[in-house]
Amino acid sequence: MLIIFVSCGPSDEDKARVKIDLAKNLLAKNDTAEAIRQLDSIPKLYPEAMYSANAAKNLLQEVRFEVMQRKEAELDSLEVQVAELEKSFVKEKTEFDRYTQYTHKRQTFTRAWDRSYIQVHLDERGELYLSSNYHGENWLNHTGLRVYDSGDDAKTEEIPIGSVDNHRSDFMEAKWEKVSYRNGKDNGVIEFIANHVDRNLKAVFLGKEYYYIILETYDKEAVRDALALSKAIKKRNKLEQEIKALGQKINIQ
């Protein structure tokens, strides 16, 4: 006599229901991202669990809709913050600009063309960089910048003479040098200034000759304001992308 033993393990429906229960527990703990991951995996892991897969899909839609609503509320609040921060800036896009530029009202050309100072640059994407601007009678040939006070300091990377980001010009007896520290080459100087607006920060332009300045309060505030606006713009742009992606997933046009 032939005896065949058949092992009856949990079905796909049983396994899928366990996943759904796990997702609900995760939602109760506010672990929304992991809950979504668990729900999203059910149709792939358990293709025969038609009932549970449909239940998971419905729950997933509800969760994504709630997440989108929270993000939309956060975006509304962020738009107010961006609008408030923008009040300190002039927005302009010339024929030479790919993106709209934000210039702090205390650092416009008419206010700054004939002085040595640190300038902050910001565009509509939230991309931020710093430049050191020298105006004087003699060439410095400067390639870097150090900002300091009472033993604390931050120093940029070196931008060599001849680089596209190391520019110079002259007119009659006046000399201008502008060194731009793009793509993180400020090396923490932006954060250092923004975090120490209340301190008597000094800066030295580093080159064949050294040139020292005391940072004006309004220049320090310009850096602080630009950094805050940069972070707000980037966060807003990220939220807009996330909301759009969620809308597509739950078929909201």
Side-chain angles (χ1 to χ4, degrees), residues 104-231:
H104 200 278
K105 290 180 179 179
R106 299 302 299 270
Q107 292 195 325
T108 58
F109 177 78
T110 54
R111 287 178 174 267
W113 72 272
D114 61 346
R115 67 187 181 98
S116 297
Y117 70 109
I118 294 174
Q119 184 177 12
V120 66
H121 306 263
L122 174 67
D123 68 27
E124 63 182 299
R125 301 168 299 168
E127 294 302 317
L128 187 70
Y129 72 92
L130 206 66
S131 69
S132 49
N133 298 265
Y134 164 75
H135 173 261
E137 296 181 356
N138 302 304
W139 294 115
L140 292 182
N141 294 313
H142 84 284
T143 58
L145 177 75
R146 184 171 73 92
V147 179
Y148 62 96
D149 178 56
S150 302
D152 298 321
D153 73 332
K155 182 180 176 182
T156 67
E157 293 185 24
E158 182 178 328
I159 309 299
I161 301 292
S163 165
V164 67
D165 285 326
N166 193 320
H167 179 72
R168 57 166 58 194
S169 61
D170 66 305
F171 180 72
M172 298 182 69
E173 299 298 321
K175 308 288 190 296
W176 286 271
E177 296 179 13
K178 179 175 182 176
V179 180
S180 299
Y181 310 96
R182 305 175 192 267
N183 302 318
K185 291 182 179 178
D186 70 283
N187 205 28
V189 172
I190 291 175
E191 290 276 359
F192 182 78
I193 295 172
N195 291 335
H196 298 100
V197 171
D198 58 334
R199 292 174 62 171
N200 187 31
L201 297 178
K202 280 76 67 177
V204 54
F205 292 42
L206 305 169
K208 290 184 178 180
E209 302 289 339
Y210 284 5
Y211 187 80
Y212 295 84
I213 62 171
I214 296 175
L215 271 63
E216 300 285 357
T217 298
Y218 49 78
D219 286 330
K220 292 182 289 185
E221 290 174 346
V223 173
R224 178 200 61 196
D225 295 347
L227 180 59
L229 181 54
S230 169
K231 290 179 178 179

Side-chain angles (χ1 to χ4, degrees), residues 15-59:
K15 294 175 183 177
R17 279 194 289 270
V18 171
K19 281 273 188 183
I20 292 174
D21 289 340
L22 173 59
K24 289 178 178 178
N25 288 331
L26 289 166
L27 289 171
K29 296 176 182 177
N30 293 318
D31 192 350
T32 306
E34 181 60 21
I36 289 175
R37 194 184 72 81
Q38 292 292 335
L39 292 169
D40 209 24
S41 70
I42 288 174
K44 299 175 184 177
L45 293 175
Y46 312 114
E48 296 182 10
M50 303 299 293
Y51 176 81
S52 293
N54 190 57
K57 180 182 177 181
N58 291 336
L59 180 56

